Amino acid sequence: MNRKKTFKSYLFVTLLFLVVCVQSFAQSSPEPVGWVSINTPFTASQLKNVDQQLEQLKSESIQTIIFEFSGSGKNFERYSQLGRKITTLNRDDITTVAYIPESALGLTMIPVFACQQIMADEFAQIGMVLPLKDDQKVSSQVVLNKVVSFAEAAGHDPLIAKAMTDKKMVLYQVDQDGGVKLIDKKSYEIWQDKIKSVFASNDSAPIVSENETLLLNGLQAKKVGLVRQLFANKNECLEKLNYQVAGGKTDQASKEPNAVLASDGIPDGDGVEKVVFEDGQVHKVAVIICKDMVDEGMYISIKRRTEQAISEGATYIIYEIDTFGGALNSAISIWDYFMHDVSKRAHTVAYVPTKAISAGALISVACNDIIMKESTQIGDCAPIIMGGKLEGVEREKAESPTRSYFEAAAKANGYPVALCRAMVTLNIAVYKIKNLQTDRYEYFEDDQLPKDDGTYDLEGKTIVVKSDQLLTWDAEKAVEHGLARSVVNSRDEAIAFLAKRDQITFDDNIVVYETTWSEEMVRWLTSPTVAGILLTVGLLGIYAELNSPGLGIPGAIAVIAFAALFGSKYMINLANWWEILLFIIGFLLLTVEIFLIPGFGIAGFSGIVLIFFSLIAMMVANPSDQLPIPQEQWDWNILQDNFNSLLLSIVGFIIGASIISRYMYKIPMANKMVLNAPGQSESVGVTMTPVVEDEPVEVSLNEEGVSLTQLRPAGRAKFGEKKCDVVSRGEMIEQNMPVRVIEIEGNRIVVAPK
């Protein structure tokens, strides 16, 4: 028995020793964290260095990053970009922590609210985001929206964020169930009786009154739930939380130069990077004209001119958009280019001198700012197809991705999302409702109306877009509701507005980048109407050439038409080299079938198939290593539109071929290619030189004979003992069929079946 007790005691002591060892080991192995210092002034180079350090920490699989904030920030754009970076880290399941040892005031609070946790010294000063100084370029409402959105995304109380930003916000602090609760003035007045019976008010006076913005110390911030833990300094923070700075490096954001700003590639609003400028920089403006139909030619031209402008030092690019719309896929290509490429290198502005309708509206909202001239229009981007209707599921399949592009641009560039969605979908009604806490108007779709009458003036809501209307507004209304920044009278006024708002200086040399004549020519040649005409002309030229001896004017016209058609499509990536090659092979096979191989068989059928396949393949924009299969709904719509044009071209060819077969030699221009008929009598003779006989042969009008070969449409016929070359009116006549001379034009004898 004693042995068993001794064994149990020994076992217990051993287990206890192991537990202590494990705990000691765990405590001796602190968690690696990243530590990034954000100091004021927060310069462009610091922002780039932050980006570099964050990429390094992510590559090391660091799961917690602490941002140390200090000072009163003033640059809205840079702190907003940092807030977006922190939000991206949160999405990647990386814990973000804000540490405030002394103070975080002004715009420094924007990225602070983006962090999931906030720690501070008990005497640290926190808040008072506004008022901004008069030299700030951004409105108070924009700052408020940004602060609140970051706070809500990170799980902080939005009322605190509003109170620190909006001077009209009145906030009360009450006790609830042993804890502290913050409520706004409206809620306090509405529920005052309930508060008296359930809560015990700390003070009848609000903790922040009207015309003030909230400022808390660390201890106060902890009581209201904004700050989670209090630490006197950095070392205490690391020690008590058992953290160790990864690699022993600190303050890299303010010390390491030569970082490169990289895009995170996220397509939503907060994931789009924007360019950052140095303080005091003299900015260069470039103007790029974007007019007429939106197509691939416009996209390629915009891209070329934008790259040229940026390479020549442009920091603000004004896209002068004047269009009724065009191809949706081309507009999306321009949208992607603006949002994920140009916006990281320059500030983009859409200037609307007359109209930005349909695809033009989508391009406009992709720019950082929209400025409109007086009495201009923007809106109406509902997808359509030529010669048909989109209904039911097909319409939703086309509208859904289009709405997503409008939403992403609206979130990134600060346009009302509901209004942008109403440009695309007909059955969306949008209401304007006043936020009683911020004294600002917000926009809601009819199925997303708020229900909190303590926060919103629900009785005073106003409908601004009816459900049976697509949003299309003039400049004045667009500015009133936040779709545009300003209404001006000229491009120069737009530039002056930007300079005043952003408090910057522009170079006096404003360069306007126009399209080149070759770009305009390619866009003209690739328009559906001109492309259809070129195809019809090319087919008619081939037909006329096959019906006349030698290689002449019709053949040359056909070559020019097809070269213009295929060359222009190749330049805008609608035609690949192998598609053009298939067309040439198909044409050669068809020619061989007509002139060399008797009958109509595999060669002719294969030639027709290859020709039609190549023409249809050129209607779909696809890489050369992929089959021309539409990937998106708008690709199918474009294919359908182009196919309709192809059918019209074929109908035009059939009509033209019929006219040529009957009247080619009576057309003033065409009859010069052959000799004129010697007379108009009913018995007109013609002298021919047969292949076999040396003596000339005379054939008369209406003389009857028999075909010696197939006429496709050319061949040989025998009239009595006379043999000569003849041609039909276009139809094929079998061998040994009776024929009759119906027309003699020059040295050409036209026959028809008897």
Side-chain angles (χ1 to χ4, degrees), residues 596-615:
L596 300 180
I597 303 175
F600 192 82
I602 296 177
F605 178 77
S606 300
I608 292 176
V609 170
L610 289 177
I611 288 175
F612 275 92
F613 176 79
S614 63
L615 291 175

Side-chain angles (χ1 to χ4, degrees), residues 47 78 131 151 235 252 273 286 290 317 325 344 364 386 481 485 502 529 539 600 641 682 685 690 697 724 736:
L47 179 60
R78 291 177 195 149
N235 292 333
Q252 296 298 315
E273 297 285 3
C290 311
I317 300 181
K344 295 182 292 185
S364 298
M386 185 176 66
H481 296 288
R485 310 298 192 212
D502 296 351
T529 302
L539 294 175
F600 192 82
D641 291 345
E682 287 296 319
V697 174
C724 60
N736 296 323

Side-chain angles (χ1 to χ4, degrees), residues 652-719:
F653 164 71
I654 294 173
I655 296 174
S658 177
I659 295 174
I660 288 176
S661 64
R662 291 179 178 272
Y663 305 109
M664 178 177 177
Y665 290 90
K666 294 182 181 180
I667 299 174
M669 292 296 295
N671 63 11
K672 295 182 180 181
M673 293 185 289
V674 296
L675 296 174
N676 291 326
Q680 301 297 329
S681 65
E682 287 296 319
S683 180
V684 179
V686 60
T687 300
M688 300 292 295
T689 304
V691 175
V692 180
E693 295 84 352
D694 293 330
E695 298 180 0
V697 174
E698 184 176 282
V699 179
S700 301
L701 198 64
N702 293 322
E703 186 171 350
E704 297 179 355
V706 63
S707 58
L708 295 177
T709 64
Q710 281 187 331
L711 305 184
R712 298 181 298 172
R716 290 180 63 78
K718 180 179 180 181
F719 300 92

Side-chain angles (χ1 to χ4, degrees), residues 323-592:
T323 177
F324 278 113
L328 180 59
N329 65 326
S330 301
I332 290 174
S333 296
I334 298 172
W335 187 98
D336 284 329
Y337 181 58
F338 285 178
M339 292 285 290
H340 299 299
D341 191 341
V342 184
S343 63
K344 295 182 292 185
R345 299 182 287 162
H347 187 91
T348 56
V349 180
Y351 171 60
V352 183
T354 55
K355 57 192 175 296
I357 305 299
S358 191
L362 179 58
I363 295 172
S364 298
V365 298
C367 294
N368 301 136
D369 292 313
I370 299 176
I371 300 176
M372 302 177 68
K373 193 175 180 181
E374 287 185 354
S375 303
T376 57
Q377 286 77 39
I378 188 172
D380 185 4
C381 195
I384 61 173
I385 59 174
M386 185 176 66
K389 291 184 178 181
L390 286 172
E391 296 180 349
V393 176
E394 289 186 355
R395 171 159 291 281
E396 179 58 22
K397 286 178 67 176
E399 288 183 354
S400 179
T402 308
R403 284 197 304 268
S404 69
Y405 282 99
F406 270 95
E407 290 175 17
K411 292 176 182 177
N413 297 318
Y415 307 118
V417 174
L419 296 180
C420 289
R421 284 169 52 88
M423 294 185 190
V424 182
T425 301
L426 186 63
N427 297 322
I428 291 180
V430 180
Y431 289 84
K432 180 177 72 171
I433 304 177
K434 188 174 184 179
N435 188 318
L436 299 174
Q437 296 179 356
T438 64
D439 199 32
R440 305 284 182 177
Y441 285 101
E442 299 177 16
Y443 298 86
F444 299 90
E445 296 178 25
D446 51 358
D447 60 346
Q448 298 177 355
L449 291 174
K451 298 179 181 180
D452 183 6
D453 57 1
T455 303
Y456 293 96
D457 181 13
L458 301 182
E459 294 183 357
K461 67 178 184 293
T462 304
I463 188 169
V464 294
V465 181
K466 297 181 180 179
S467 60
D468 59 347
Q469 297 176 342
L470 284 172
L471 190 152
T472 305
W473 282 347
D474 60 18
E476 289 73 16
K477 201 167 185 179
V479 170
E480 176 187 350
H481 296 288
L483 275 178
R485 310 298 192 212
S486 179
V487 178
V488 297
N489 290 313
S490 65
R491 183 198 300 161
D492 291 339
E493 283 192 16
I495 296 173
F497 165 79
L498 292 171
K500 182 178 180 180
R501 184 198 67 178
D502 296 351
Q503 292 295 300
I504 57 177
T505 302
F506 286 124
D507 192 309
D508 293 335
N509 183 25
I510 299 175
V511 182
V512 179
Y513 294 85
E514 299 275 2
T515 56
T516 62
W517 69 268
S518 58
E519 289 173 339
E520 290 295 334
M521 177 64 72
V522 169
R523 292 186 62 193
W524 180 73
L525 291 174
T526 54
S527 64
T529 302
V530 176
I533 293 174
L534 288 174
L535 178 59
T536 302
V537 170
L539 294 175
L540 289 175
I542 292 175
Y543 179 81
E545 185 64 33
L546 294 177
N547 282 275
S548 60
L551 181 63
I553 296 178
I557 293 176
V559 171
I560 294 173
F562 283 123
L565 176 64
F566 299 147
S568 59
K569 288 183 176 293
Y570 182 80
M571 293 179 68
I572 63 171
N573 300 321
L574 273 179
N576 292 312
W577 63 268
W578 60 267
E579 295 169 345
I580 299 175
L581 181 61
L582 285 182
F583 181 88
I584 296 173
I585 293 174
F587 173 73
L588 293 176
L589 287 174
L590 192 60
T591 304
V592 168

Side-chain angles (χ1 to χ4, degrees), residues 113-132:
F113 276 115
C115 294
Q116 295 170 321
Q117 302 177 23
I118 301 176
M119 302 183 298
D121 178 81
E122 64 176 317
F123 302 109
Q125 299 297 297
I126 305 170
M128 200 178 288
V129 179
L130 293 180
L132 298 173

